[in-house]
Amino acid sequence: MSAAALPKIGDFDIQHLGNTAWALAVLHLHNQPLCESIAASAVPIMVNATAHDLASTAWAFAVLRVHNEPLMEAISSSALRKLHQFGSREISNTVWSFAKVL
């Protein structure tokens, strides 16, 4: 799966990037090149993320124990602008994620 996804990651939208990271985390499949590619692709389009996208992407990277500073900064910046869209689950998952990776 990882080998097939890697060359196509640049075509994914923010939801698909987050879903891919989430799936890797749930399956405990740590693939550093794929995680770095997901992060690099997500940073420039993070402004399009929903509260759920932000929280689940942060959660996935925390579970995988991947600290990617540009990604976390992009999530943080987008989250601050969209706090009014966050429910209690998104807030708690995002805060937990940042505590885990920082």
Side-chain angles (χ1 to χ4, degrees):
M1 176 180 89
S2 297
L6 195 55
K8 297 178 182 186
I9 286 294
D11 297 332
F12 287 21
D13 64 20
I14 193 64
Q15 182 181 2
H16 295 131
L17 291 168
N19 289 349
T20 303
W22 179 87
L24 291 172
V26 168
L27 296 171
H28 299 286
L29 296 174
H30 186 271
N31 180 307
Q32 191 67 30
L34 184 55
C35 288
E36 293 302 323
S37 183
I38 291 169
S41 295
V43 167
I45 60 173
M46 195 59 69
V47 296
N48 301 325
T50 65
H52 177 79
D53 296 332
L54 295 167
S56 64
T57 302
W59 178 87
F61 275 78
V63 168
L64 292 168
R65 297 182 181 184
V66 174
H67 177 78
N68 182 289
E69 191 70 28
L71 177 66
M72 299 311 283
E73 287 178 14
I75 291 171
S76 175
S77 177
S78 287
L80 288 173
R81 285 192 302 276
K82 298 176 182 187
L83 270 180
H84 63 281
Q85 298 174 3
F86 277 63
S88 58
R89 179 174 290 166
E90 288 87 7
I91 291 171
S92 62
N93 285 350
T94 303
V95 170
W96 176 87
S97 300
F98 273 82
K100 180 101 170 151
V101 298
L102 297 179

